[in-house]
Every structure is written in structure tokens, then in C-alpha cells.
Amino acid sequence: LFDRFFIYFNSFPYRVTLYTEFLPMKSRGISIILLGVFWALGAVFEVLLAMVVMPTLGWKWLLAFSTLPLVVFAASCCWLPESARFDVLRGREDKALDTLKCIAAANGSSVPAGRLIANTQTDRGRIRDLFIPEYRKTTLLVWFIWFCNAFSYYGIVLLTTELFQAGSACSATDNSNMEPRCSLECNYLTFHDYVDLLWTTLAEFPGILVTLWMIDRIGRRKSMAVCFLLFSVSILPLYACTQRTLLTVFIFIARACITGGWQVAYVYTPEVFPTATRAIGIGTGSGMARVGALITPFIAQVLLKSSVYLTLSVYLICCLLGTVASWFLPMETTGRSLQESMQSTMEQKNLERPHGSETTESSSNTCP
């Protein structure tokens, strides 16, 4: 299951980048968050598939069945249109116009009369462009937020069954002050384990719904900070010896919070970087998330064998730091038009109203 997450995780950021560049400003946040519904559906489907396949056919067949949706997606990529914003930025107005005409025809409309105008940039986005003075702080904080999201998300996924085992060991002892221990034995999951895993996986749906409600009301930065903070709070009861039902409830809340926070990061990152560096911005953020996902098994599996309390403390501190990082992001992107280049970003900053007010589309950004 963890391997399947990595395969899906590998391409998801780039699809978000392409999707973002076709969305209007007022529905951008909600539309990107709704992509998370399909992530959650895939996670639930994977648990149900494991319940059927693992006891009979084994993990190899589970992995084979899990890759079928990826094969279908790879075969259908040829029908995906190129971003009109990207084509205009590269000076390919004719290709961008053809894309817009196809989209308009699919929606039973037509392209308005006029000419596409945007800042042209022939150089491809470079990593060093993320570290110009105007973006250096934003880049570092966004990278850390992506790291915290992946580290905590995959951590709580891996911890779920292990904490169930540790909770059982804790409830079986007479000393309530004794720290629960996890043997990390390679045992097959029981039907009851799969049911509890399914419940915690379903937590992603309320996490997405709550995020949908607050992302445009309190803004992107505050939404990420709230999700990180609530994740940290939901970790605290896991230090105590609790019944399995309560343990499932707290893991449910924690997973809902970290899912919501990660979805907001998917919205914020392509909004904060201009078209010239948008893909590389979200790509490098995804790279930092993979670092977090690679490290978290050593905490959720290896360190857990030595100390459950220390393991929980690592995730608690990580998300508290994620809360601080989200709060101190220099730019709020709610109601802000997508920028085409570094130059248009600077122009937008000079024209923006005071914080909290909505901005209108710049006349230089006539692409959708």
C-alpha cells in the first residue's frame, strides 16, 4: 500500500499544476481541494481491495491490481491539452488559442474576440529563480510545509496498525504508567484490523469537507496552520492508554486534519509561484515531501519499537513547527490572480489592496 502511494505521489503535483492553470480565480481553491476526494476514494478502494486480495492471493496480486489505474491514466495522457498559460509565456500564441477554442467548444461557447497578451519568457524555470529575494522566504517555508505534510500523513498511515497493537498491549498490563510497546512482528492483518484501517481512511473525506468550508473563509495560510495545530492536538490523547475505539477516533481526527492541510498546500503552492516557475515550485515542494515520506518509516516503524512516546513526540513537534511555518508565510493567495512571470508578480504586489481585500484580474493576464 505504501509503494502504491509513492507511485501516485510521483505524478500528482504536476497534474495539479496543469489543472490550476485552467481554473478561474473564484473556484480555484474549491476545485483543487475536490481533487482530494479522488485521492480519498483511491485510498478506500485500496483498503477494500486488500481485504479481498491479501487473504487469498497475497501482496503481489494486490500490487498488480493497484497499478491498473496508473496504466489507464498513462494511456490517456495523450488527450490532455497543454496549458494555454505555458504556451503564451513561451510565445506560442497560436497553440494557446487552439487550446482555448477546444475548451470553449467543449463547453458550448466561443473564444472572445481579441488577442492573447502576456509577459513572454523564453528561459525555462530554474531552481535558482525560487530564491530571488522576493521568493526566498516563501520557497523555504513552502518546502518545509510539504515536508511536514508528507512526513505526518504517511506517518499516521504507518502508525495506525502499530498503535492498535501497542494499545492492546497497554490495556493488557496492570501498570497503567507502563509505556506501550510495539513488537513490529510481521503478522497478517485480521478482518478487524482492516475494518479499523478502513475507518481511519474514511477520515480523509471529512478532512476535505472541512477544508472546503474554511479555505476561502479564513485564507490559505490560516487553513494550513489550523490543520497542523489540530493534528498536534489530536496526537496528545494517544500518549495515554486508551481503548481501541477511542484510539481509532483520535487517529481518525489526526488523519482528517493532515489530509486537509496537505490539500491546502496543493492549492497554495501553484498560486504563490508565477507560471514561469510554478511547475518547478510545486515539483521541488513534492521533492521535499518525498524526503519526509522516506524518513517517516524510520520513525513510525524503527523508532516505534524503542518508544511509542518518543515517536509520537516527533510527529507532535513536526506539526507544531508546521503551524508556525504556515502562519509566517509572507503571501496570502486567496482572491489573488495567477501570475505569469516574476515581473507581473511585482506589478501585482504594487497594485494589491490592503490585506484581506479581494484583487481583480490584472489586465496583463488575459489567459484563463
Side-chain angles (χ1 to χ4, degrees):
L1 193 150
F2 193 56
D3 289 339
R4 177 181 175 274
F5 279 149
F6 264 113
I7 295 170
Y8 183 74
F9 188 34
N10 184 50
S11 59
F12 188 74
Y14 308 106
R15 297 200 293 273
V16 171
T17 302
L18 180 62
Y19 187 49
T20 300
E21 295 182 355
F22 281 103
L23 294 171
M25 181 178 62
K26 64 179 181 179
S27 61
R28 188 187 308 135
I30 293 176
S31 298
I32 296 175
I33 292 293
L34 286 175
L35 281 180
V37 173
F38 295 93
W39 173 290
L41 287 173
V44 171
F45 174 77
E46 188 71 13
V47 175
L48 295 175
L49 185 64
M51 292 175 67
V52 176
V53 175
M54 283 293 290
T56 55
L57 300 177
W59 67 270
K60 292 182 179 179
W61 280 99
L62 176 64
L63 186 60
F65 289 135
S66 299
T67 57
L68 290 178
L70 297 173
V71 174
V72 174
F73 171 76
S76 61
C77 280
C78 58
W79 284 286
L80 284 175
E82 181 56 87
S83 167
R85 290 179 180 271
F86 177 82
D87 282 334
V88 170
L89 195 66
R90 294 292 182 265
R92 302 194 292 257
E93 289 84 0
D94 292 340
K95 290 185 177 180
L97 189 58
D98 290 340
T99 299
L100 296 179
K101 287 179 179 179
C102 290
I103 295 173
N107 287 276
S109 182
S110 59
V111 177
R115 186 168 61 91
L116 294 176
I117 301 175
N119 295 305
T120 301
Q121 180 170 327
T122 56
D123 296 333
R124 294 183 179 273
R126 299 161 294 185
I127 293 181
R128 67 182 182 183
D129 293 334
L130 301 176
F131 292 94
I132 64 173
E134 294 81 5
Y135 278 97
R136 187 181 300 118
K137 181 179 179 181
T138 299
T139 298
L140 293 176
L141 289 176
V142 165
W143 282 4
F144 183 70
I145 289 169
W146 276 77
F147 173 89
C148 291
N149 274 311
F151 181 79
S152 302
Y153 177 87
Y154 291 110
I156 200 66
V157 170
L158 292 174
L159 279 172
T160 299
T161 54
E162 306 301 345
L163 286 176
F164 286 155
Q165 294 177 1
S168 299
C170 181
S171 61
T173 181
D174 295 331
N175 187 358
S176 60
N177 293 324
M178 182 179 296
E179 179 180 357
R181 296 289 178 180
C182 181
S183 62
L184 292 178
E185 295 180 359
C186 188
N187 296 323
Y188 285 104
L189 297 178
T190 65
F191 180 79
H192 191 40
D193 292 328
Y194 280 118
V195 171
D196 286 336
L197 185 60
L198 180 61
W199 276 112
T200 56
T201 305
L202 289 172
E204 301 199 10
F205 291 101
I208 292 171
L209 292 176
V210 172
T211 305
L212 281 172
W213 178 84
M214 69 179 178
I215 189 171
D216 288 325
R217 286 176 171 82
I218 66 174
R220 277 59 161 155
R221 295 183 302 179
K222 290 181 180 179
S223 295
M224 285 188 286
V226 167
C227 289
F228 276 128
L229 183 60
L230 291 178
F231 179 90
S232 301
V233 171
S234 63
I235 286 291
L236 291 174
L238 301 182
Y239 283 85
C241 291
T242 58
Q243 295 179 350
R244 183 165 176 138
T245 302
L246 290 177
L247 190 63
T248 303
V249 170
F250 291 127
I251 294 176
F252 183 97
I253 297 172
R255 187 158 175 178
C257 293
I258 200 62
T259 298
W262 204 352
Q263 294 303 320
V264 181
Y266 272 115
V267 176
Y268 181 84
T269 306
E271 287 183 336
V272 78
F273 293 111
T275 301
T277 56
R278 184 170 297 126
I280 199 168
I282 196 170
T284 53
S286 172
M288 291 303 298
R290 293 180 201 182
V291 174
L294 286 170
I295 294 175
T296 201
F298 294 97
I299 306 300
Q301 302 264 280
V302 180
L303 182 61
L304 187 69
K305 188 175 182 179
S306 301
S307 173
V308 174
Y309 293 158
L310 183 57
T311 300
L312 293 175
S313 298
V314 172
Y315 291 104
L316 176 67
I317 294 172
C318 177
C319 282
L320 287 176
L321 293 175
T323 303
V324 175
S326 301
W327 189 265
F328 284 99
L329 283 168
M331 284 184 281
E332 175 57 66
T333 60
T334 304
R336 184 170 176 261
S337 60
L338 291 182
Q339 304 304 296
E340 305 303 335
S341 64
M342 299 294 182
Q343 177 185 348
S344 62
T345 300
M346 297 303 104
E347 292 174 355
Q348 178 78 9
K349 283 186 175 181
N350 294 331
L351 295 174
E352 276 183 348
R353 300 175 184 176
H355 178 70
S357 62
E358 291 190 357
T359 59
T360 57
E361 292 283 348
S362 171
S363 60
S364 65
N365 298 331
T366 56
C367 295

